[in-house]
Amino acid sequence: MSPVIMAALSKLTGLELEYSLLDVKPTELSSALKKLCADPQIVGFNFTLPHKQKAAHLSQRTSPDVPIIGSANMWARVPEGFCAYNTDGPGFMDALEHNGISMKNREVVILGAGGAARGVAYACAQGGARRIFIWNRSEERAAKLCEIAPDTLTTLTVPSELEAPTPAPRIIINATSLGLRESDEALLSEFAKPLFPFLTDAIATDLVYSSTKPSTPFLRLAERKQLQTVETALQMLALQAARAFNHWQGSELTPQQTLSALTPI
């Protein structure tokens, strides 16, 4: 998807960009980057799993949030070399805003405590969420995540903690890898089942997307529980790409311009 998105953004802006995919082994990332960074024509990189954590520590500079989140999905060239950024969380927030959903003063429930959850949790906290609950099988890992914004994040150990009414519907976010396979639906149902009685008016969204089906296992599960669902994952992918493109090319693409350009794809 990323090469297609970047080609569309290049066509939209008239700014030429050659975007190539490289398959690099984790043990070879440092040496590969050293060689690639020596090419003055390279303006930046995107990183996917399993490279995001290591990418946060190999650049000459980092944006302020990268050391807190502990991962980077993008580098952009700067005078002293390259600066590492994490555009996943901001891309997710852009997608919510595009759908008319504000994070201000909301309560959020995040499923999972891995790298994706860290980026989104931090973005939600920065975006003004009132309280963010982390629901994860490992309470230790959830507690570790909460350290990135201890005034806002808390480990959810007992679902009845969600019993208190809120001024606006909560947002529940699937930030686990469950949903990448259609067979994951039963596992997701078991994992999230204790929460649904307390989230009857919540808005459900997913960081997993499907390129072959209009919905995901988690969103279908949420629909059966009569929750409002919002598909943000594909928009997040496009909007974090636009943020990277803007860094690389000095452009100022807006979310609306980006999504309008990508609608035909």
Side-chain angles (χ1 to χ4, degrees), residues 26-204:
T27 55
E28 298 173 358
L29 181 63
S30 297
S31 59
L33 284 171
K34 186 175 181 179
K35 182 178 179 179
L36 291 165
C37 290
D39 184 345
Q41 291 188 308
I42 291 181
V43 296
F45 305 91
N46 275 138
F47 300 92
T48 59
L49 293 174
H51 299 309
K52 290 185 178 183
Q53 287 186 321
K54 199 166 185 180
H57 302 286
L58 293 175
S59 60
Q60 288 73 37
R61 275 174 46 190
T62 66
S63 63
D65 59 330
V66 165
I68 299 170
I69 299 169
S71 68
N73 72 318
M74 189 273 285
W75 282 13
R77 189 176 284 280
V78 292
E80 62 268 44
F82 286 86
C83 182
Y85 297 87
N86 191 308
T87 61
D88 286 335
F92 174 73
M93 297 298 288
D94 287 344
L96 281 183
E97 186 176 337
H98 179 76
N99 285 280
I101 299 171
S102 170
M103 191 59 66
K104 292 286 186 183
N105 296 317
R106 281 193 195 264
E107 288 193 358
V108 180
V109 179
I110 296 178
L111 308 184
R118 289 182 70 86
V120 167
Y122 184 76
C124 290
Q126 294 296 105
R130 183 173 67 173
R131 197 174 184 194
I132 302 168
F133 297 93
I134 307 299
W135 179 251
N136 194 59
R137 286 192 175 91
S138 168
E139 290 186 19
E140 182 180 353
R141 195 169 186 186
K144 186 70 176 175
L145 190 160
C146 292
E147 292 175 5
I148 67 176
D151 292 339
T152 308
L153 274 68
T154 184
T155 301
L156 180 61
T157 55
V158 181
S160 60
E161 293 178 54
L162 302 173
E163 202 164 16
T166 57
R170 293 186 178 96
I171 300 174
I172 178 169
I173 305 165
N174 176 35
T176 73
S177 60
L178 292 174
L180 291 173
R181 297 177 299 271
E182 290 298 313
S183 58
D184 286 344
E185 192 162 343
L187 293 172
L188 270 168
S189 179
E190 180 186 352
F191 179 51
K193 183 178 179 180
L195 305 179
F196 285 123
F198 304 98
L199 296 171
T200 53
D201 65 344
I203 301 168

